[in-house]
Amino acid sequence: MPLNQGFVLASRPQGEARVDNFRYFEKETPPVGPGQVLVRNLWLSLDPYMRGRMDESKSYAASQKLDDVMIGGTAGEVVASENPEFKPGDKVVCVNGGWQTYFLSDGKGVNKVDASRAPLQAFVGPLGMPGVTAWYGLNKIIKPKAGQTVVVSAATGAVGTVVGQLAKAHGARAVGIAGGPEKCAFAVKELGYDACVDHKAVDFAEQFKKATPNGVDGVFENVGGLPFKLASHRLNDFARIAVCGLIASYEGAEKSSLDDLRILLVKRALIEGFIVSDHIDIWGQALRELIDLAASGKLKWRESVVDGVKAAPAAFLGMLKGANFGKQLVKLS
Amino acid sequence: MPLNQGFVLASRPQGEARVDNFRYFEKETPPVGPGQVLVRNLWLSLDPYMRGRMDESKSYAASQKLDDVMIGGTAGEVVASENPEFKPGDKVVCVNGGWQTYFLSDGKGVNKVDASRAPLQAFVGPLGMPGVTAWYGLNKIIKPKAGQTVVVSAATGAVGTVVGQLAKAHGARAVGIAGGPEKCAFAVKELGYDACVDHKAVDFAEQFKKATPNGVDGVFENVGGLPFKLASHRLNDFARIAVCGLIASYEGAEKSSLDDLRILLVKRALIEGFIVSDHIDIWGQALRELIDLAASGKLKWRESVVDGVKAAPAAFLGMLKGANFGKQLVKLS
């Protein structure tokens, strides 16, 4: 049996997460029993939601248990199967394949993908959970009309990348917020954002105002903190804010708040938090649309790749601080 | 021509509104011209939204103009008409009959009512704008399911009175928040709230927690401030908050804020501000339902009545501080 290598959650963070919150392990993969399938994880997706799971059940989902393999979506290949739905060589994505090189499963949460249509790792990125997240928040909460302005924080991240392009497809003005001139240039030149504002710039607030001359009709909020505050002060009537993530606040550094509820009343605006796993009913439609866009070359994205499972903790911690540029992946093969 | 008596807005408030922000006038009603209708206002409705209009266009609507008759809904009787749609004796409600005893109009915003089904003044209360406001926020934003808990601030006010009874009709647990034991007793004994918590009580927070043992699924927010904060900290998954008013903050005393947006994310909750005049399409249905309920004795309410137009400013300022008990009216006849 092959050697499985990975990380368990060793301890819960006190404030900022640290590498010693994770503990490396190696152990032989158990034999594949009846109904089971063994997946060799080729790609591990690193996503901000994992930070919430590391805490003691403050988040929407149950906490990640201590000493369990770290939660994480993976893409890989079936290497052995005693489950009639899978055969060796099948390309699959695993909802929770975990931070490890092999995943033994009863088949639940393991889904075959057609890797002829896009690179395998895209199925844990723009053609997977992050893509569906973008699709849901934009189409079901923000519902932009042509000519409206949609602001997207973490504009070049796994989710934001897709939000901006979908907003453009609706005929909206897409305004990104990202950290640094390089990301902003990529957002505009490659992803098609009409404008992208660098939240690290000293004149961020002024630049943001200039980039939203007609106010803000929709906000896809991945970050919170100051970008949220600025956007909330420029809302138009009937604006919609989809709260997808608040990465600025995950480590307790910067609280994200709505300082004056009168904004919502005066603008008759809506703020809604969501988590894509509540909306399984739309995954099929969303994935079909996203895969079609990707296969026809109309959906672009960028990846940040680190090599080998041992690189996962540092890459994850870097992502929480915006060190990634595009979808953060760990290449396991 | 009869003598018209009333108030114009004399000046904009600096902080709290004061009686000298209004100026009394008397002048002869002009002759009724072609297409016009003269209404003798019998009842003036005093509503919190008026406070927003007194400011320099901070509110959703255009500001009340200085030296114009104060905005206000009225119920009255047609006394002269050169408009084929009205005849003397018709009972009508006027969207903006104003703080005055006579209203000369081209007929726009003047609607005939069937005063055989309910007392005339009810058509500017539970069977008018405040009632439709309650109906919209409850049915279109909160959408309570049987067994869920709906919290209503200003529970015995013109709007809250109706919200609580509609929530009960949906099979929800209705929890009111009101100022003082008398209002709370009325909310439970007369309006049918399952519980009502006195926000003036020293142990308000503790009482509120006890009154919502299963958390909070819906909030009909008329007040803001501390009651909002407490409710927002007890939200269940997929909770909905309809922001109808923030009277605690209208005079700048107490800011209403959502201190941590993570609540919305963790609970996948929604907050939406609304103003009923945006939703003209539902007025017909809402009024039919409310009038049917009232005519069959299934809708209860209470009125706070002051006599004569000269009493309007003080009654209005008192209402902003919760001095009213039920729908605040000025009897003009």
Side-chain angles (χ1 to χ4, degrees), chain A residues 58 60 228 238 243-244 256-261 264-266 268-273 275 278, chain B residues 58 60 228 238 243-244 256-261 264-266 268-273 275 278:
Chain A
K58 276 184 203 162
Y60 31 82
F228 173 80
F238 309 110
V243 181
C244 171
S256 299
S257 59
L258 180 67
D259 53 1
D260 189 353
L261 280 175
L264 298 186
L265 190 56
V266 170
R268 294 88 97 204
L270 174 154
I271 307 187
E272 184 170 357
I275 164 74
D278 288 329
Chain B
K58 275 184 204 163
Y60 32 82
F228 174 80
F238 309 109
V243 180
C244 171
S256 299
S257 59
L258 181 66
D259 52 3
D260 189 353
L261 281 174
L264 298 185
L265 189 57
V266 171
R268 294 87 96 204
L270 174 154
I271 307 188
E272 185 170 358
I275 165 75
D278 288 329

mmCIF file of all heavy atoms in Angstrom, chain A residues 58 60 228 238 243-244 256-261 264-266 268-273 275 278, chain B residues 58 60 228 238 243-244 256-261 264-266 268-273 275 278:
data_model
loop_
_atom_site.group_PDB
_atom_site.id
_atom_site.type_symbol
_atom_site.label_atom_id
_atom_site.label_comp_id
_atom_site.label_asym_id
_atom_site.label_seq_id
_atom_site.Cartn_x
_atom_site.Cartn_y
_atom_site.Cartn_z
ATOM 1 N N LYS A 58 -16.785 28.674 15.629
ATOM 2 C CA LYS A 58 -17.360 30.005 15.468
ATOM 3 C C LYS A 58 -17.978 30.124 14.079
ATOM 4 O O LYS A 58 -18.753 31.012 13.816
ATOM 5 C CB LYS A 58 -16.271 31.076 15.567
ATOM 6 C CG LYS A 58 -15.929 31.482 16.985
ATOM 7 C CD LYS A 58 -14.916 32.617 16.945
ATOM 8 C CE LYS A 58 -14.133 32.665 18.260
ATOM 9 N NZ LYS A 58 -12.895 33.426 18.137
ATOM 10 N N TYR A 60 -19.758 28.731 10.320
ATOM 11 C CA TYR A 60 -21.048 28.132 9.988
ATOM 12 C C TYR A 60 -21.013 26.617 10.109
ATOM 13 O O TYR A 60 -21.986 25.982 10.437
ATOM 14 C CB TYR A 60 -21.483 28.511 8.564
ATOM 15 C CG TYR A 60 -20.338 28.712 7.605
ATOM 16 C CD1 TYR A 60 -19.731 27.647 6.996
ATOM 17 C CD2 TYR A 60 -19.868 29.997 7.346
ATOM 18 C CE1 TYR A 60 -18.679 27.850 6.129
ATOM 19 C CE2 TYR A 60 -18.822 30.204 6.482
ATOM 20 C CZ TYR A 60 -18.224 29.133 5.868
ATOM 21 O OH TYR A 60 -17.195 29.329 5.010
ATOM 22 N N PHE A 228 -14.811 47.127 2.492
ATOM 23 C CA PHE A 228 -16.256 47.020 2.696
ATOM 24 C C PHE A 228 -16.834 48.363 3.114
ATOM 25 O O PHE A 228 -17.874 48.796 2.622
ATOM 26 C CB PHE A 228 -16.576 45.965 3.749
ATOM 27 C CG PHE A 228 -18.033 45.941 4.097
ATOM 28 C CD1 PHE A 228 -18.924 45.280 3.270
ATOM 29 C CD2 PHE A 228 -18.520 46.608 5.204
ATOM 30 C CE1 PHE A 228 -20.276 45.280 3.557
ATOM 31 C CE2 PHE A 228 -19.870 46.614 5.498
ATOM 32 C CZ PHE A 228 -20.746 45.943 4.675
ATOM 33 N N PHE A 238 -31.264 50.449 -3.758
ATOM 34 C CA PHE A 238 -31.510 49.018 -4.029
ATOM 35 C C PHE A 238 -30.223 48.228 -4.285
ATOM 36 O O PHE A 238 -30.227 47.217 -4.994
ATOM 37 C CB PHE A 238 -32.485 48.845 -5.205
ATOM 38 C CG PHE A 238 -33.735 49.646 -5.045
ATOM 39 C CD1 PHE A 238 -33.998 50.752 -5.848
ATOM 40 C CD2 PHE A 238 -34.649 49.326 -4.054
ATOM 41 C CE1 PHE A 238 -35.146 51.516 -5.678
ATOM 42 C CE2 PHE A 238 -35.807 50.082 -3.871
ATOM 43 C CZ PHE A 238 -36.052 51.173 -4.689
ATOM 44 N N VAL A 243 -22.195 38.759 1.043
ATOM 45 C CA VAL A 243 -21.050 38.552 1.931
ATOM 46 C C VAL A 243 -20.616 37.096 1.823
ATOM 47 O O VAL A 243 -21.297 36.178 2.299
ATOM 48 C CB VAL A 243 -21.383 38.907 3.388
ATOM 49 C CG1 VAL A 243 -20.147 38.690 4.271
ATOM 50 C CG2 VAL A 243 -21.842 40.352 3.493
ATOM 51 N N CYS A 244 -19.495 36.913 1.148
ATOM 52 C CA CYS A 244 -18.968 35.580 0.863
ATOM 53 C C CYS A 244 -17.844 35.231 1.819
ATOM 54 O O CYS A 244 -17.676 34.088 2.218
ATOM 55 C CB CYS A 244 -18.462 35.576 -0.569
ATOM 56 S SG CYS A 244 -17.552 34.110 -1.022
ATOM 57 N N SER A 256 -14.911 43.692 10.839
ATOM 58 C CA SER A 256 -15.700 44.206 9.730
ATOM 59 C C SER A 256 -17.083 44.536 10.258
ATOM 60 O O SER A 256 -17.786 43.667 10.759
ATOM 61 C CB SER A 256 -15.808 43.154 8.627
ATOM 62 O OG SER A 256 -14.523 42.845 8.148
ATOM 63 N N SER A 257 -17.455 45.797 10.155
ATOM 64 C CA SER A 257 -18.754 46.193 10.688
ATOM 65 C C SER A 257 -19.455 47.143 9.729
ATOM 66 O O SER A 257 -18.833 47.729 8.851
ATOM 67 C CB SER A 257 -18.590 46.854 12.053
ATOM 68 O OG SER A 257 -17.747 47.983 11.936
ATOM 69 N N LEU A 258 -20.758 47.227 9.924
ATOM 70 C CA LEU A 258 -21.535 48.199 9.169
ATOM 71 C C LEU A 258 -21.806 49.321 10.156
ATOM 72 O O LEU A 258 -22.587 49.156 11.103
ATOM 73 C CB LEU A 258 -22.838 47.574 8.679
ATOM 74 C CG LEU A 258 -23.734 48.496 7.871
ATOM 75 C CD1 LEU A 258 -23.095 48.851 6.529
ATOM 76 C CD2 LEU A 258 -25.088 47.851 7.635
ATOM 77 N N ASP A 259 -21.132 50.446 9.979
ATOM 78 C CA ASP A 259 -21.120 51.432 11.054
ATOM 79 C C ASP A 259 -22.432 52.185 11.195
ATOM 80 O O ASP A 259 -22.707 52.730 12.255
ATOM 81 C CB ASP A 259 -19.921 52.387 10.924
ATOM 82 C CG ASP A 259 -19.836 53.024 9.547
ATOM 83 O OD1 ASP A 259 -20.717 52.741 8.712
ATOM 84 O OD2 ASP A 259 -18.885 53.786 9.302
ATOM 85 N N ASP A 260 -23.238 52.225 10.164
ATOM 86 C CA ASP A 260 -24.514 52.933 10.288
ATOM 87 C C ASP A 260 -25.583 52.224 9.466
ATOM 88 O O ASP A 260 -25.577 52.273 8.246
ATOM 89 C CB ASP A 260 -24.359 54.382 9.828
ATOM 90 C CG ASP A 260 -25.595 55.213 10.155
ATOM 91 O OD1 ASP A 260 -26.606 54.627 10.614
ATOM 92 O OD2 ASP A 260 -25.556 56.440 9.952
ATOM 93 N N LEU A 261 -26.503 51.593 10.177
ATOM 94 C CA LEU A 261 -27.580 50.856 9.505
ATOM 95 C C LEU A 261 -28.471 51.749 8.661
ATOM 96 O O LEU A 261 -29.212 51.265 7.805
ATOM 97 C CB LEU A 261 -28.465 50.163 10.541
ATOM 98 C CG LEU A 261 -27.960 48.854 11.142
ATOM 99 C CD1 LEU A 261 -28.923 48.408 12.220
ATOM 100 C CD2 LEU A 261 -27.854 47.785 10.060
ATOM 101 N N LEU A 264 -28.658 51.239 4.976
ATOM 102 C CA LEU A 264 -29.544 50.217 4.406
ATOM 103 C C LEU A 264 -30.954 50.743 4.219
ATOM 104 O O LEU A 264 -31.649 50.384 3.268
ATOM 105 C CB LEU A 264 -29.584 48.985 5.314
ATOM 106 C CG LEU A 264 -28.263 48.265 5.520
ATOM 107 C CD1 LEU A 264 -28.482 47.000 6.322
ATOM 108 C CD2 LEU A 264 -27.630 47.923 4.173
ATOM 109 N N LEU A 265 -31.373 51.591 5.152
ATOM 110 C CA LEU A 265 -32.730 52.126 5.097
ATOM 111 C C LEU A 265 -32.834 53.180 3.999
ATOM 112 O O LEU A 265 -33.730 53.139 3.151
ATOM 113 C CB LEU A 265 -33.051 52.727 6.461
ATOM 114 C CG LEU A 265 -34.476 53.149 6.733
ATOM 115 C CD1 LEU A 265 -35.434 52.002 6.530
ATOM 116 C CD2 LEU A 265 -34.588 53.675 8.164
ATOM 117 N N VAL A 266 -31.898 54.103 4.009
ATOM 118 C CA VAL A 266 -31.936 55.200 3.049
ATOM 119 C C VAL A 266 -31.820 54.660 1.622
ATOM 120 O O VAL A 266 -32.509 55.128 0.712
ATOM 121 C CB VAL A 266 -30.800 56.203 3.360
ATOM 122 C CG1 VAL A 266 -30.667 57.219 2.248
ATOM 123 C CG2 VAL A 266 -31.058 56.888 4.698
ATOM 124 N N ARG A 268 -32.411 51.472 0.768
ATOM 125 C CA ARG A 268 -33.217 50.231 0.625
ATOM 126 C C ARG A 268 -32.319 49.113 0.104
ATOM 127 O O ARG A 268 -32.627 48.443 -0.891
ATOM 128 C CB ARG A 268 -34.405 50.448 -0.318
ATOM 129 C CG ARG A 268 -35.412 51.407 0.241
ATOM 130 C CD ARG A 268 -35.089 52.855 -0.102
ATOM 131 N NE ARG A 268 -35.852 53.258 -1.265
ATOM 132 C CZ ARG A 268 -35.494 54.233 -2.063
ATOM 133 N NH1 ARG A 268 -34.378 54.918 -1.850
ATOM 134 N NH2 ARG A 268 -36.253 54.522 -3.092
ATOM 135 N N ALA A 269 -31.203 48.960 0.795
ATOM 136 C CA ALA A 269 -30.189 48.014 0.350
ATOM 137 C C ALA A 269 -30.268 46.710 1.130
ATOM 138 O O ALA A 269 -30.891 46.634 2.187
ATOM 139 C CB ALA A 269 -28.805 48.639 0.518
ATOM 140 N N LEU A 270 -29.628 45.718 0.579
ATOM 141 C CA LEU A 270 -29.668 44.368 1.132
ATOM 142 C C LEU A 270 -28.240 43.861 1.355
ATOM 143 O O LEU A 270 -27.370 44.072 0.514
ATOM 144 C CB LEU A 270 -30.397 43.483 0.120
ATOM 145 C CG LEU A 270 -30.491 41.985 0.313
ATOM 146 C CD1 LEU A 270 -31.744 41.475 -0.407
ATOM 147 C CD2 LEU A 270 -29.289 41.260 -0.258
ATOM 148 N N ILE A 271 -28.037 43.215 2.488
ATOM 149 C CA ILE A 271 -26.777 42.507 2.737
ATOM 150 C C ILE A 271 -27.133 41.074 3.079
ATOM 151 O O ILE A 271 -27.986 40.840 3.937
ATOM 152 C CB ILE A 271 -25.994 43.092 3.921
ATOM 153 C CG1 ILE A 271 -25.781 44.588 3.758
ATOM 154 C CG2 ILE A 271 -24.644 42.397 4.062
ATOM 155 C CD1 ILE A 271 -24.867 45.173 4.833
ATOM 156 N N GLU A 272 -26.499 40.142 2.406
ATOM 157 C CA GLU A 272 -26.816 38.738 2.694
ATOM 158 C C GLU A 272 -25.529 37.922 2.741
ATOM 159 O O GLU A 272 -24.705 37.970 1.826
ATOM 160 C CB GLU A 272 -27.753 38.184 1.605
ATOM 161 C CG GLU A 272 -28.201 36.768 1.896
ATOM 162 C CD GLU A 272 -29.311 36.287 0.970
ATOM 163 O OE1 GLU A 272 -29.794 37.056 0.125
ATOM 164 O OE2 GLU A 272 -29.697 35.117 1.115
ATOM 165 N N GLY A 273 -25.372 37.194 3.821
ATOM 166 C CA GLY A 273 -24.265 36.250 3.918
ATOM 167 C C GLY A 273 -24.677 34.919 3.317
ATOM 168 O O GLY A 273 -25.835 34.533 3.401
ATOM 169 N N ILE A 275 -23.206 30.727 2.023
ATOM 170 C CA ILE A 275 -22.154 29.731 1.903
ATOM 171 C C ILE A 275 -22.653 28.722 0.874
ATOM 172 O O ILE A 275 -23.792 28.258 0.919
ATOM 173 C CB ILE A 275 -21.807 29.115 3.275
ATOM 174 C CG1 ILE A 275 -21.012 27.819 3.135
ATOM 175 C CG2 ILE A 275 -23.033 28.830 4.089
ATOM 176 C CD1 ILE A 275 -19.590 28.051 2.718
ATOM 177 N N ASP A 278 -24.791 25.438 1.060
ATOM 178 C CA ASP A 278 -26.236 25.441 1.351
ATOM 179 C C ASP A 278 -27.073 25.326 0.089
ATOM 180 O O ASP A 278 -28.294 25.160 0.175
ATOM 181 C CB ASP A 278 -26.644 26.761 2.029
ATOM 182 C CG ASP A 278 -26.150 26.878 3.460
ATOM 183 O OD1 ASP A 278 -26.027 25.840 4.128
ATOM 184 O OD2 ASP A 278 -25.891 28.015 3.900
ATOM 185 N N LYS B 58 -31.104 63.623 3.799
ATOM 186 C CA LYS B 58 -30.327 62.459 4.206
ATOM 187 C C LYS B 58 -31.152 61.205 4.004
ATOM 188 O O LYS B 58 -30.644 60.108 4.000
ATOM 189 C CB LYS B 58 -29.966 62.540 5.694
ATOM 190 C CG LYS B 58 -28.719 63.352 5.982
ATOM 191 C CD LYS B 58 -28.420 63.278 7.476
ATOM 192 C CE LYS B 58 -27.604 64.477 7.917
ATOM 193 N NZ LYS B 58 -27.618 64.667 9.355
ATOM 194 N N TYR B 60 -34.332 58.710 2.327
ATOM 195 C CA TYR B 60 -34.561 58.121 1.004
ATOM 196 C C TYR B 60 -35.318 59.074 0.092
ATOM 197 O O TYR B 60 -35.126 59.104 -1.096
ATOM 198 C CB TYR B 60 -35.330 56.801 1.120
ATOM 199 C CG TYR B 60 -36.289 56.739 2.271
ATOM 200 C CD1 TYR B 60 -37.553 57.295 2.184
ATOM 201 C CD2 TYR B 60 -35.915 56.118 3.458
ATOM 202 C CE1 TYR B 60 -38.416 57.240 3.240
ATOM 203 C CE2 TYR B 60 -36.786 56.054 4.525
ATOM 204 C CZ TYR B 60 -38.040 56.607 4.411
ATOM 205 O OH TYR B 60 -38.891 56.538 5.463
ATOM 206 N N PHE B 228 -31.703 46.217 18.523
ATOM 207 C CA PHE B 228 -31.183 45.596 17.303
ATOM 208 C C PHE B 228 -29.945 44.768 17.602
ATOM 209 O O PHE B 228 -29.788 43.649 17.131
ATOM 210 C CB PHE B 228 -30.839 46.666 16.254
ATOM 211 C CG PHE B 228 -30.167 46.079 15.053
ATOM 212 C CD1 PHE B 228 -30.912 45.454 14.072
ATOM 213 C CD2 PHE B 228 -28.791 46.100 14.933
ATOM 214 C CE1 PHE B 228 -30.291 44.870 12.974
ATOM 215 C CE2 PHE B 228 -28.166 45.520 13.841
ATOM 216 C CZ PHE B 228 -28.920 44.907 12.864
ATOM 217 N N PHE B 238 -30.009 31.405 8.578
ATOM 218 C CA PHE B 238 -30.937 31.915 7.561
ATOM 219 C C PHE B 238 -31.946 32.932 8.112
ATOM 220 O O PHE B 238 -33.052 33.076 7.594
ATOM 221 C CB PHE B 238 -31.668 30.766 6.858
ATOM 222 C CG PHE B 238 -30.731 29.711 6.342
ATOM 223 C CD1 PHE B 238 -30.656 28.454 6.933
ATOM 224 C CD2 PHE B 238 -29.885 29.991 5.280
ATOM 225 C CE1 PHE B 238 -29.760 27.493 6.476
ATOM 226 C CE2 PHE B 238 -28.986 29.035 4.811
ATOM 227 C CZ PHE B 238 -28.928 27.775 5.406
ATOM 228 N N VAL B 243 -35.317 46.001 7.862
ATOM 229 C CA VAL B 243 -35.065 47.292 8.509
ATOM 230 C C VAL B 243 -36.078 48.299 7.975
ATOM 231 O O VAL B 243 -36.010 48.734 6.822
ATOM 232 C CB VAL B 243 -33.630 47.787 8.267
ATOM 233 C CG1 VAL B 243 -33.420 49.130 8.966
ATOM 234 C CG2 VAL B 243 -32.617 46.769 8.760
ATOM 235 N N CYS B 244 -37.035 48.613 8.834
ATOM 236 C CA CYS B 244 -38.145 49.492 8.466
ATOM 237 C C CYS B 244 -37.917 50.890 9.000
ATOM 238 O O CYS B 244 -38.280 51.883 8.382
ATOM 239 C CB CYS B 244 -39.419 48.897 9.063
ATOM 240 S SG CYS B 244 -40.841 49.965 8.937
ATOM 241 N N SER B 256 -27.051 53.188 15.173
ATOM 242 C CA SER B 256 -27.404 51.783 15.027
ATOM 243 C C SER B 256 -26.413 51.155 14.073
ATOM 244 O O SER B 256 -26.298 51.564 12.925
ATOM 245 C CB SER B 256 -28.816 51.660 14.465
ATOM 246 O OG SER B 256 -29.741 52.250 15.356
ATOM 247 N N SER B 257 -25.680 50.162 14.564
ATOM 248 C CA SER B 257 -24.671 49.533 13.723
ATOM 249 C C SER B 257 -24.708 48.026 13.884
ATOM 250 O O SER B 257 -25.253 47.504 14.846
ATOM 251 C CB SER B 257 -23.288 50.080 14.075
ATOM 252 O OG SER B 257 -23.011 49.820 15.432
ATOM 253 N N LEU B 258 -24.141 47.373 12.890
ATOM 254 C CA LEU B 258 -23.965 45.929 12.976
ATOM 255 C C LEU B 258 -22.496 45.737 13.303
ATOM 256 O O LEU B 258 -21.626 45.976 12.451
ATOM 257 C CB LEU B 258 -24.325 45.277 11.640
ATOM 258 C CG LEU B 258 -24.192 43.754 11.609
ATOM 259 C CD1 LEU B 258 -25.207 43.100 12.526
ATOM 260 C CD2 LEU B 258 -24.356 43.235 10.189
ATOM 261 N N ASP B 259 -22.215 45.363 14.542
ATOM 262 C CA ASP B 259 -20.825 45.466 15.003
ATOM 263 C C ASP B 259 -19.915 44.410 14.404
ATOM 264 O O ASP B 259 -18.709 44.598 14.366
ATOM 265 C CB ASP B 259 -20.746 45.494 16.532
ATOM 266 C CG ASP B 259 -21.493 44.345 17.178
ATOM 267 O OD1 ASP B 259 -22.035 43.491 16.440
ATOM 268 O OD2 ASP B 259 -21.539 44.280 18.415
ATOM 269 N N ASP B 260 -20.473 43.303 13.948
ATOM 270 C CA ASP B 260 -19.611 42.276 13.357
ATOM 271 C C ASP B 260 -20.329 41.581 12.210
ATOM 272 O O ASP B 260 -21.248 40.812 12.414
ATOM 273 C CB ASP B 260 -19.198 41.259 14.432
ATOM 274 C CG ASP B 260 -18.132 40.302 13.913
ATOM 275 O OD1 ASP B 260 -17.816 40.338 12.707
ATOM 276 O OD2 ASP B 260 -17.611 39.523 14.725
ATOM 277 N N LEU B 261 -19.857 41.859 11.004
ATOM 278 C CA LEU B 261 -20.478 41.272 9.811
ATOM 279 C C LEU B 261 -20.384 39.755 9.779
ATOM 280 O O LEU B 261 -21.115 39.099 9.036
ATOM 281 C CB LEU B 261 -19.808 41.816 8.554
ATOM 282 C CG LEU B 261 -20.210 43.195 8.073
ATOM 283 C CD1 LEU B 261 -19.330 43.584 6.912
ATOM 284 C CD2 LEU B 261 -21.668 43.201 7.640
ATOM 285 N N LEU B 264 -23.478 37.706 9.845
ATOM 286 C CA LEU B 264 -24.240 37.451 8.618
ATOM 287 C C LEU B 264 -23.683 36.250 7.860
ATOM 288 O O LEU B 264 -24.420 35.490 7.242
ATOM 289 C CB LEU B 264 -24.215 38.672 7.705
ATOM 290 C CG LEU B 264 -24.839 39.941 8.276
ATOM 291 C CD1 LEU B 264 -24.841 41.030 7.221
ATOM 292 C CD2 LEU B 264 -26.261 39.668 8.755
ATOM 293 N N LEU B 265 -22.373 36.115 7.907
ATOM 294 C CA LEU B 265 -21.723 35.030 7.186
ATOM 295 C C LEU B 265 -21.971 33.703 7.894
ATOM 296 O O LEU B 265 -22.388 32.711 7.282
ATOM 297 C CB LEU B 265 -20.227 35.340 7.102
ATOM 298 C CG LEU B 265 -19.375 34.464 6.216
ATOM 299 C CD1 LEU B 265 -19.888 34.472 4.796
ATOM 300 C CD2 LEU B 265 -17.931 34.954 6.244
ATOM 301 N N VAL B 266 -21.716 33.710 9.191
ATOM 302 C CA VAL B 266 -21.851 32.474 9.970
ATOM 303 C C VAL B 266 -23.302 31.979 9.930
ATOM 304 O O VAL B 266 -23.546 30.785 9.806
ATOM 305 C CB VAL B 266 -21.381 32.722 11.418
ATOM 306 C CG1 VAL B 266 -21.716 31.542 12.307
ATOM 307 C CG2 VAL B 266 -19.885 33.014 11.439
ATOM 308 N N ARG B 268 -25.550 32.932 7.639
ATOM 309 C CA ARG B 268 -26.114 33.100 6.290
ATOM 310 C C ARG B 268 -27.403 33.926 6.391
ATOM 311 O O ARG B 268 -28.459 33.542 5.864
ATOM 312 C CB ARG B 268 -26.404 31.748 5.627
ATOM 313 C CG ARG B 268 -25.137 30.993 5.358
ATOM 314 C CD ARG B 268 -24.700 30.154 6.531
ATOM 315 N NE ARG B 268 -25.171 28.794 6.346
ATOM 316 C CZ ARG B 268 -25.369 27.927 7.328
ATOM 317 N NH1 ARG B 268 -25.147 28.303 8.592
ATOM 318 N NH2 ARG B 268 -25.778 26.715 7.052
ATOM 319 N N ALA B 269 -27.277 35.051 7.055
ATOM 320 C CA ALA B 269 -28.448 35.876 7.353
ATOM 321 C C ALA B 269 -28.537 37.048 6.389
ATOM 322 O O ALA B 269 -27.576 37.385 5.696
ATOM 323 C CB ALA B 269 -28.358 36.382 8.790
ATOM 324 N N LEU B 270 -29.695 37.631 6.357
ATOM 325 C CA LEU B 270 -30.003 38.712 5.425
ATOM 326 C C LEU B 270 -30.513 39.928 6.199
ATOM 327 O O LEU B 270 -31.297 39.780 7.131
ATOM 328 C CB LEU B 270 -31.065 38.195 4.465
ATOM 329 C CG LEU B 270 -31.708 39.116 3.446
ATOM 330 C CD1 LEU B 270 -32.182 38.279 2.264
ATOM 331 C CD2 LEU B 270 -32.903 39.859 4.032
ATOM 332 N N ILE B 271 -30.047 41.099 5.813
ATOM 333 C CA ILE B 271 -30.602 42.357 6.322
ATOM 334 C C ILE B 271 -31.025 43.178 5.120
ATOM 335 O O ILE B 271 -30.242 43.367 4.192
ATOM 336 C CB ILE B 271 -29.576 43.179 7.114
ATOM 337 C CG1 ILE B 271 -28.941 42.354 8.223
ATOM 338 C CG2 ILE B 271 -30.224 44.408 7.710
ATOM 339 C CD1 ILE B 271 -28.068 43.183 9.153
ATOM 340 N N GLU B 272 -32.245 43.662 5.151
ATOM 341 C CA GLU B 272 -32.716 44.467 4.022
ATOM 342 C C GLU B 272 -33.500 45.671 4.515
ATOM 343 O O GLU B 272 -34.418 45.543 5.326
ATOM 344 C CB GLU B 272 -33.601 43.599 3.110
ATOM 345 C CG GLU B 272 -34.022 44.336 1.853
ATOM 346 C CD GLU B 272 -34.686 43.422 0.818
ATOM 347 O OE1 GLU B 272 -34.791 42.209 1.059
ATOM 348 O OE2 GLU B 272 -35.105 43.940 -0.221
ATOM 349 N N GLY B 273 -33.098 46.829 4.034
ATOM 350 C CA GLY B 273 -33.859 48.029 4.320
ATOM 351 C C GLY B 273 -34.952 48.198 3.275
ATOM 352 O O GLY B 273 -34.767 47.824 2.116
ATOM 353 N N ILE B 275 -38.703 50.614 2.059
ATOM 354 C CA ILE B 275 -39.664 51.698 2.270
ATOM 355 C C ILE B 275 -40.878 51.366 1.422
ATOM 356 O O ILE B 275 -40.764 51.036 0.236
ATOM 357 C CB ILE B 275 -39.035 53.075 1.980
ATOM 358 C CG1 ILE B 275 -40.104 54.161 1.841
ATOM 359 C CG2 ILE B 275 -38.186 53.054 0.720
ATOM 360 C CD1 ILE B 275 -40.675 54.558 3.169
ATOM 361 N N ASP B 278 -41.928 52.149 -2.281
ATOM 362 C CA ASP B 278 -41.279 51.524 -3.446
ATOM 363 C C ASP B 278 -42.087 50.364 -3.998
ATOM 364 O O ASP B 278 -41.762 49.839 -5.062
ATOM 365 C CB ASP B 278 -39.906 50.958 -3.055
ATOM 366 C CG ASP B 278 -38.863 52.031 -2.797
ATOM 367 O OD1 ASP B 278 -38.947 53.097 -3.440
ATOM 368 O OD2 ASP B 278 -37.978 51.800 -1.963
#
